[in-house]
């Protein structure tokens, strides 16, 4: 009995030593890595998940060709979101334009351990009645239908992120930042293709309960601030899931900062998580779409071309701002979504 206890203690001590030295090795590896290589690696790691990492500002945003585009949008996504640690305020704006019902929706809130915001542009294949809004499936705007959008997200702690791009789903997610949805302020602006579309959206925004005197229109640009949502009545289960999810989000966010405490820079923290706890890294990258089972229920799946196969691509927005040399983005790392494989050319630390 004493021999077995001694062996267990010896194994536990050996395991602690292994974890300690492995952690030290990963820390040294990241500290010795050049910033440009870190950015290139993070961009390739996030690409199979449908996101782009902006190294200059330390946040993730959705790629224009993200695989989530094929899923479109339905109200069911927002309804199920609190069950999967996503708690946000939303402002859906429905309007009719040229024989179809369009939806431009704004979100801001907590997405797991990420505080973030979104602007989504969708449309149905026909005109819908108000009774069909919650049951209809909306397709994402096509390449020729995308609009130039910009957003500025501010938190109560003073963190601020700005992004502007022609997109169908403009997003910004700040890793390791916790905030209540009511504590986030989203300043959004959209440039429409013509005055007819802008006027239709303006009327839809007013019908959604937003005060007309707070909307700014200049030529084809329309801008407003989304801070406090209108009165929303959640059911008992939804309120329970929102509160529970926020408690878990706060705990996970604190745990993320504690585990990655050797670093203060966001890209260093994320890379440390990738090497040290790869399953936590994969969970971090599930920023918006709550669970694959919900997609399968709706008949939406990530296309085969996006599975286990990544293209080395740099974001023009990030490249211009970060000053990284274009040549650093050509290095392939061979990461596969949904696995714990390490980049090629280096052993597992």
């Amino acid at each position: 009995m004493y021999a077995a206890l001694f062996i267990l203690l010896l194994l536990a001590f050996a395991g602690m030593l292994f974890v300690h030295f492995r952690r030290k090795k990963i820390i040294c590896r990241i500290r010795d890595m050049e910033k440009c290589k870190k950015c290139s690696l993070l961009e390739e790691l996030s690409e199979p998940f449908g996101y782009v990492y902006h190294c200059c500002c330390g946040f993730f945003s959705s790629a224009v060709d993200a695989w989530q585009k094929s899923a479109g949008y339905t109200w069911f996504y927002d309804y199920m979101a609190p069950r999967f640690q996503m708690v946000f305020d939303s402002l859906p704006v429905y309007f009719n334009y040229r024989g179809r019902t369009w939806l431009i929706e704004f979100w801001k809130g907590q997405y797991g351990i990420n505080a973030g915001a979104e602007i989504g542009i969708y449309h149905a294949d026909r005109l819908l009645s108000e009774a069909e809004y919650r049951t209809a499936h909306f397709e994402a705007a096509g390449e020729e239908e995308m609009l130039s959008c910009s957003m500025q997200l501010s938190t109560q702690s003073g963190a601020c992120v700005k992004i502007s791009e022609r997109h169908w789903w403009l997003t910004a997610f700040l890793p390791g930042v916790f905030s209540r949805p009511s504590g986030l302020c989203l300043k959004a602006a959209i440039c429409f293709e013509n005055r007819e579309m802008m006027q239709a959206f303006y009327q839809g925004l007013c019908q959604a309960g937003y005060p007309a005197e707070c909307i700014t229109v200049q030529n084809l640009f329309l801008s407003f601030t989304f801070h406090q949502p209108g009165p929303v009545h959640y059911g008992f289960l939804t309120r329970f899931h929102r509160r529970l999810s926020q408690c878990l989000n706060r705990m996970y966010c604190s745990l993320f900062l504690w585990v990655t405490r050797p670093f203060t820079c966001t890209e260093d923290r994320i890379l440390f998580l990738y090497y040290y706890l790869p399953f936590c890294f994969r969970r971090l990258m599930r920023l918006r779409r709550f669970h694959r089972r919900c997609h399968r229920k709706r008949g939406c799946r990530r296309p085969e071309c996006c599975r286990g196969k990544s293209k080395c691509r740099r974001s023009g927005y990030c490249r211009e701002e970060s000053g990284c040399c274009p040549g650093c983005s050509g290095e392939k790392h061979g990461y596969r979504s949904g696995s714990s494989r390490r980049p090629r050319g280096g052993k597992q630390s």
Side-chain angles (χ1 to χ4, degrees), residues 235-248:
F236 172 77
L237 284 178
T238 301
R239 292 198 306 270
F240 170 77
H241 284 297
R242 284 175 68 91
R243 292 176 182 175
L244 176 62
S245 294
Q246 279 296 74
C247 291
L248 293 175

Side-chain angles (χ1 to χ4, degrees), residues 2-16:
Y2 291 105
L5 182 60
F6 175 76
I7 292 174
L8 288 175
L9 291 174
L10 188 62
L11 289 175
F13 180 72
M16 291 173 62

Side-chain angles (χ1 to χ4, degrees), residues 219-259:
N219 295 328
L220 296 179
F221 282 88
L222 186 148
S223 60
F224 67 99
T225 300
F226 179 30
H227 191 190
Q228 297 295 335
V232 182
H233 302 285
Y234 296 110
F236 172 77
L237 284 178
T238 301
R239 292 198 306 270
F240 170 77
H241 284 297
R242 284 175 68 91
R243 292 176 182 175
L244 176 62
S245 294
Q246 279 296 74
C247 291
L248 293 175
N249 290 338
R250 182 189 292 271
M251 181 183 68
Y252 291 149
C253 192
S254 300
L255 190 61
F256 167 76
L257 297 176
W258 181 80
V259 170

Side-chain angles (χ1 to χ4, degrees), residues 19 54 74 115 120 153 219 231 306:
V19 171
H54 298 273
T74 179
L153 179 67
N219 295 328
C306 296

Side-chain angles (χ1 to χ4, degrees), residues 149-161:
C149 308
S150 64
M151 69 164 66
Q152 177 181 317
L153 179 67
S154 305
T155 67
Q156 287 182 326
S157 62
C160 180
V161 60

Side-chain angles (χ1 to χ4, degrees), residues 190-232:
I190 302 177
C191 180
F192 293 91
E193 58 183 24
N194 54 52
R195 187 162 293 275
E196 178 188 358
M197 187 177 190
M198 185 190 67
Q199 189 64 30
F201 174 81
Y202 178 88
Q203 294 175 359
L205 186 59
C206 294
Q207 291 175 1
Y210 196 87
E213 60 272 14
C214 298
I215 304 174
T216 302
V217 177
Q218 185 176 8
N219 295 328
L220 296 179
F221 282 88
L222 186 148
S223 60
F224 67 99
T225 300
F226 179 30
H227 191 190
Q228 297 295 335
V232 182

Side-chain angles (χ1 to χ4, degrees), residues 29-39 325 328:
R29 179 178 185 177
I30 294 175
R31 286 177 175 170
D32 293 340
M33 194 181 298
E34 295 180 358
K35 183 176 178 64
C36 195
K37 186 176 181 180
K38 294 177 185 177
C39 297
C325 56
C328 293

